[in-house]
Amino acid sequence: MSEEMEEMIVDAVSNTFENLAFMFVEEVDKSELENTGDEYFISKMAYSGDNTGSLVMATTKQMCINLATNILGLDDDEEPEKSILGDAFNEVLNVVCGQLLAEKYGEKAIFDLTIPEISSVDDKKWNEFLELEETIGIMVDEFPVLIAAYFND
Amino acid sequence: MSINVLVVDDSKITRSVIKKTIKIAGIDFNKIFEAENGKEALEVLGNEWIDLIFTDINMPIMGGAEMIEKLGDDGLLKTIPVIVVSTERSQTRIEQLQKCGVKAYVKKPFHPEEIKKIVDDIIGRD
Amino acid sequence: MVITVNISDLGTSNSNEDKIITYSLGSCVGVSLYDPVAEVGSLIHCMLPLSKVDRAKSKIKPYMFVDTGLQAQLKIMYDNGATKKNIVAKVAGGSKLLDKKSLFRIGERNYTVVRKILWKNNILIENEDVGGTKSRTMYLVMETGKTYLKIRGEEIEL
């Protein structure tokens, strides 16, 4: 993946986390993100139309708790419902996808997006995803997040 | 005059953000209804008086574009102002929606203040 | 009376005769809060977004950081009889000025944390003038509850 493409992906992710959840993104060396010892979520979606491809993001459960708390504007001592954690992360992926496609292909291109699907994964799956060449690693408010974009251009 | 609002989005958290915005923006509302997709929304519209609709586009079962088209086929429902809140960025699609009578389009990620301004413009203030 | 708010500072008033002013908002962010029912107002000038970069400093200078500063400003407003639903919030600053440490996005991040704290407190921003590369002077006139900006010699109501 080109540096320019990687920057475009990180910008879309950064813009989404900041505007949706008031959280700040920092690029890091992927090796720093191995085995954080928490529960993980992976969310996936695909797009079709003028071009096709897919987007995958993964993070920890704790990040999703912070994410939902921020999006909803809850007090620090309030916990979001468990059922909304995955939804919050799916929505991030959904928004990232919309921004990334507009940035890469322009606003005249037409796409159909699938609904993001989320699942819980273990350390092994986290590390496997981390080690893929196209996977980018970032910290979002000191929580690890992995992103990979697959463009069938 | 208090309004009834319908919020249509498969994302529960987005529905919660729009609901919270309506509540804290000083908008005079009576009740806020929710639906997870266009089909559910049409069921609500069949049973309740709705003054304003917020809708996403990309939803399972029935998306926002199809729902809006069906609203346009009904003499009464087509008069309800619709605000689209979506990640959709295709200019072609946005123009199609506006031709179907969509009053405003808000791109995700949005600031709640954008929602407030649009509602104030559409509904007006007492 | 004119109450001057310096950098990393807060000014509060419940007198109709006061004007609270802060100068040179570059990447810093200014937030004016006014409750027209309780007739209390305040203006803060924050430099950095998050206090976690220097917890010790944030205890001595809470208004330096948006997260501790704005929370403290809100508490003072509430202690003086203001209520969330009546507070009118206006925001200015957060410019993209290159600071000495080349942390380009300080201005944007200051603005983001303002949004975060206000959203948590169920307060929407009434009006704002943020970003760009200009330096702003901001002041709150207690008699009217209105907030003004002065930018390159030109005065505008926010």
Side-chain angles (χ1 to χ4, degrees):
Chain A
M1 181 181 293
S2 70
E3 224 176 271
E4 191 195 340
M5 198 59 246
E6 190 170 315
E7 201 179 307
M8 200 183 279
I9 294 168
V10 173
D11 278 352
V13 174
S14 189
N15 190 43
T16 299
F17 272 110
E18 228 173 282
N19 281 290
L20 188 60
F22 322 106
M23 297 171 85
F24 299 128
V25 161
E26 193 192 318
E27 283 186 78
V28 295
D29 200 292
K30 271 201 301 190
S31 59
E32 294 177 39
L33 305 182
E34 279 181 26
N35 294 330
T36 64
D38 197 338
E39 289 175 57
Y40 308 95
F41 288 135
I42 279 191
S43 183
K44 304 179 187 190
M45 67 185 292
Y47 63 90
S48 58
D50 288 353
N51 298 87
T52 64
S54 60
L55 217 60
V56 184
M57 282 180 71
T59 192
T60 62
K61 183 181 172 190
Q62 190 55 51
M63 200 291 283
C64 290
I65 292 173
N66 276 52
L67 175 68
T69 301
N70 283 342
I71 293 174
L72 295 170
L74 301 178
D75 281 327
D76 291 332
D77 55 358
E78 282 179 88
E79 272 234 343
E81 300 165 24
K82 284 192 171 65
S83 61
I84 217 161
L85 301 184
D87 177 51
F89 195 52
N90 274 347
E91 185 63 0
V92 167
L93 182 66
N94 188 34
V95 176
V96 168
C97 189
Q99 292 199 91
L100 186 57
L101 293 181
E103 189 59 31
K104 183 168 165 57
Y105 299 112
E107 292 193 350
K108 286 198 157 72
I110 297 179
F111 295 104
D112 291 313
L113 308 183
T114 62
I115 307 298
E117 282 178 24
I118 198 159
S119 50
S120 287
V121 297
D122 57 14
D123 270 350
K124 186 164 171 282
K125 284 274 182 242
W126 170 266
N127 288 329
E128 276 172 16
F129 183 40
L130 178 87
E131 275 151 33
L132 296 175
E133 199 188 322
E134 54 276 347
T135 300
I136 300 166
I138 57 171
M139 293 291 268
V140 179
D141 273 13
E142 288 155 17
F143 295 103
V145 174
L146 304 176
I147 318 114
Y150 304 95
F151 303 109
N152 304 330
D153 290 349
Chain B
M1 191 196 74
S2 294
I3 61 169
N4 282 346
V5 183
L6 172 59
V7 182
V8 191
D9 199 312
D10 58 323
S11 163
K12 186 175 177 188
I13 206 162
T14 300
R15 297 198 308 268
S16 298
V17 169
I18 295 173
K19 273 167 44 187
K20 176 172 168 165
T21 302
I22 293 166
K23 287 174 186 173
I24 69 177
I27 292 162
D28 185 10
F29 73 95
N30 175 45
K31 201 167 171 191
I32 303 173
F33 295 88
E34 294 179 63
E36 288 186 10
N37 55 64
K39 183 169 178 280
E40 265 185 36
L42 291 172
E43 285 164 11
V44 171
L45 286 159
N47 296 321
E48 308 289 345
W49 182 270
I50 300 293
D51 299 290
L52 178 66
I53 302 171
F54 287 90
T55 185
D56 190 7
I57 293 299
N58 194 34
M59 295 180 288
I61 303 172
M62 184 191 288
E66 192 183 339
M67 181 197 80
I68 290 164
E69 220 181 285
K70 291 200 187 303
L71 294 181
D73 293 337
D74 183 294
L76 194 58
L77 295 180
K78 73 178 183 188
T79 65
I80 306 173
V82 177
I83 299 168
V84 169
V85 184
S86 176
T87 57
E88 179 67 71
R89 269 163 161 75
S90 152
Q91 272 308 118
T92 312
R93 284 218 171 119
I94 292 171
E95 280 160 19
Q96 277 168 2
L97 291 169
Q98 283 164 342
K99 281 188 187 133
C100 290
V102 163
K103 288 284 181 205
Y105 188 92
V106 177
K107 289 179 187 169
K108 291 180 179 178
F110 60 88
H111 292 191
E113 288 79 5
E114 292 171 58
I115 299 280
K116 176 182 187 291
K117 184 172 187 319
I118 286 169
V119 175
D120 284 349
D121 287 346
I122 290 173
I123 298 293
R125 293 298 224 160
D126 288 333
Chain C
M1 187 172 93
V2 175
I3 300 169
T4 301
V5 175
N6 295 312
I7 195 169
S8 305
D9 194 11
L10 169 73
T12 310
S13 168
N14 51 17
S15 164
N16 281 352
E17 290 175 20
D18 289 344
K19 170 172 139 176
I20 317 175
I21 187 165
T22 196
Y23 299 93
S24 303
L25 290 167
S27 59
C28 292
V29 73
V31 181
S32 80
L33 301 177
Y34 182 74
D35 183 326
V37 175
E39 291 182 323
V40 57
S42 61
L43 179 62
I44 196 167
H45 183 143
C46 299
M47 207 170 101
L48 296 170
L50 297 169
S51 54
K52 67 182 182 186
V53 301
D54 195 337
R55 291 265 183 232
K57 193 147 220 175
S58 74
K59 302 256 186 281
I60 313 163
K61 291 191 143 219
Y63 311 132
M64 177 180 263
F65 306 96
V66 177
D67 57 351
T68 47
L70 190 46
Q71 275 300 151
Q73 181 184 13
L74 284 162
K75 186 174 184 309
I76 290 169
M77 292 287 289
Y78 303 148
D79 288 347
N80 278 277
T83 57
K84 288 180 190 190
K85 68 174 177 65
N86 291 333
I87 287 176
V88 177
K90 298 193 180 170
V91 185
S95 294
K96 289 176 189 170
L97 295 180
L98 180 59
D99 71 12
K100 288 170 192 168
K101 290 182 184 174
S102 300
L103 298 169
F104 293 95
R105 302 193 63 245
I106 292 284
E108 289 176 42
R109 292 189 171 197
N110 280 336
Y111 171 60
T112 295
V113 181
V114 167
R115 291 190 54 235
K116 178 182 180 176
I117 304 295
L118 291 177
W119 180 240
K120 244 185 173 178
N121 279 268
N122 293 350
I123 297 168
L124 295 181
I125 297 171
E126 179 73 19
N127 220 340
E128 65 188 27
D129 190 312
V130 296
T133 54
K134 44 194 172 177
S135 177
R136 300 162 171 96
T137 290
M138 184 179 195
Y139 58 96
L140 169 63
V141 175
M142 286 299 297
E143 191 187 349
T144 57
K146 292 184 180 182
T147 299
Y148 297 86
L149 298 180
K150 213 163 189 181
I151 301 166
R152 293 187 194 121
E154 194 192 328
E155 186 184 88
I156 55 165
E157 186 188 341
L158 187 59

